[in-house]
Amino acid sequence: MKNGIYIVATPIGNLGDITPRAVQTLQEADVIACEDTRVAKKLFGLLGLSIRKEFIRLEDHNEAEQVQKLTAMAESGKSIALISDAGSPLISDPGYKLIRRCRQQKVSVFAVPGACALICALQLAGLPTNRFMFAGFVPPKDKARRDLFNELKTIDTTLVFYETANRLGKTLTAAAESFGEREAAVAREITKVYEECVNGSLTELAAYYESNPPRGEIVLMIAPPTEKQLTDMVSLLKASLAKSSVKTTVRELAEQYGFNKNELYEQALRLKDE
């Protein structure tokens, strides 16, 4: 096995989803870099793999400290498997700083693909997948959540978020206020016994989960804006540009309607050119 960092995807629920290559990599690697050594060792037990090797905790709080240690190990000839608690490492999980340092120091990096909640949720939801934007975890604080939604609401793509079960209700209510009655979907417990994907408007989903409190890992997906919603922005831009500069128009419409400034600016320049 070559020395370097192996980014290994692990199951998000169903143990059968791990690939033979991932199992072989975990078995042969000299070192396992993981979010939680207890979770990692439990996975090894379920897979029937020996835990007689070095396990190093790599999480958001200590990643900066562990990066140099792990890259030095790889440079000295060791093979290191990077795993998260579940799914594909780096996708809203630790590992970015480590891989960035490896690229800078010419340390070999290998991808061992597999399960990813983001991709599985999109496959289940029936929303447009030709273009999508993953926005990570929804901020827990009201203002930060509202600001993020207002920033993204005019982007013409399917939006994907991770959320916790206990905050889903608040998030759906806030999303309905920012995005209106757009179609959305909530996927949870993906690949597990109680896997569920529920579609509806944001208001309908908020009502559904108020009556049916969710459990498990949550993926929230929001469909792109409709033609009418995009047309409304263009109409407002045209009216404002008739009497104000591009800079003033963008600032005022962003403040009043919560439109994304970059989208407004690009559209405003197109209208000016026309």
Side-chain angles (χ1 to χ4, degrees):
M1 188 174 184
K2 295 179 180 178
N3 66 300
I5 307 292
Y6 292 77
I7 307 169
V8 183
T10 57
I12 57 177
N14 191 317
L15 190 64
D17 291 334
I18 195 163
T19 67
R21 182 179 171 217
V23 173
Q24 182 180 3
T25 302
L26 295 178
Q27 185 174 30
E28 296 180 2
D30 299 310
V31 178
I32 307 298
C34 53
E35 280 186 271
D36 188 323
T37 56
R38 294 166 299 180
V39 174
K41 288 177 181 178
K42 181 179 179 181
L43 174 65
F44 270 59
L46 292 170
L47 294 172
L49 301 178
S50 170
I51 59 172
R52 295 174 66 99
K53 59 180 68 193
E54 187 172 5
F55 286 75
I56 295 178
R57 191 171 186 127
L58 180 73
E59 56 180 351
D60 290 333
H61 301 300
N62 75 350
E63 187 173 0
E65 303 165 17
Q66 298 286 45
V67 160
Q68 190 54 48
K69 177 180 179 179
L70 290 166
T71 51
M73 283 181 166
E75 288 174 324
S76 71
K78 290 187 179 294
S79 55
I80 300 165
L82 170 65
I83 62 174
S84 61
D85 285 346
S88 296
L90 279 77
I91 309 302
S92 279
D93 279 328
Y96 157 73
K97 293 175 184 176
L98 172 62
I99 301 307
R100 183 168 179 81
R101 178 68 66 85
C102 287
R103 306 306 299 181
Q104 292 169 343
Q105 296 185 195
K106 310 301 182 186
V107 173
S108 297
V109 178
F110 308 93
V112 184
C116 177
L118 157 67
I119 301 302
C120 292
L122 282 166
Q123 291 170 330
L124 291 171
L127 299 181
T129 55
N130 58 314
R131 216 168 48 148
F132 62 87
M133 175 181 174
F134 177 55
F137 277 95
V138 178
K141 295 188 177 179
D142 292 345
K143 184 180 184 304
R145 184 192 298 115
R146 184 172 59 251
D147 288 347
L148 175 64
F149 288 166
N150 285 336
E151 177 187 344
L152 300 177
K153 71 192 235 180
T154 59
I155 297 178
D156 188 15
T157 188
T158 296
L159 301 171
V160 187
F161 306 89
Y162 284 168
E163 185 53 291
T164 60
N166 63 314
R167 291 202 300 259
L168 180 62
K170 270 190 172 183
T171 291
L172 288 169
T173 299
E177 292 172 358
S178 293
F179 296 100
E181 289 304 294
R182 278 201 218 175
E183 184 184 0
V186 170
R188 67 181 194 87
E189 295 290 83
I190 300 172
T191 77
K192 300 179 185 177
V193 173
Y194 297 105
E195 177 178 281
E196 175 183 71
C197 186
V198 181
N199 288 62
S201 71
L202 287 162
T203 302
E204 290 169 343
L205 289 173
Y208 174 81
Y209 283 107
E210 184 177 1
S211 302
N212 303 272
R215 293 183 180 181
E217 302 294 327
I218 305 289
V219 183
L220 168 63
M221 295 153 284
I222 301 175
T226 63
E227 286 297 325
K228 181 181 183 304
Q229 288 168 322
L230 291 174
T231 302
D232 288 345
M233 182 179 74
V234 173
S235 299
L236 289 167
L237 273 169
K238 287 180 177 178
S240 184
L241 286 170
K243 54 186 178 182
S244 302
S245 67
V246 169
K247 184 177 180 180
T248 300
T249 291
V250 170
R251 186 187 71 249
E252 290 179 349
L253 292 184
E255 290 174 357
Q256 186 172 356
Y257 296 98
F259 290 134
N260 179 277
K261 284 186 177 181
N262 291 333
E263 291 275 333
L264 280 171
Y265 186 73
E266 291 175 8
Q267 186 64 51
L269 291 181
R270 280 197 290 268
L271 292 171
K272 277 287 188 182
D273 290 341
E274 292 172 3

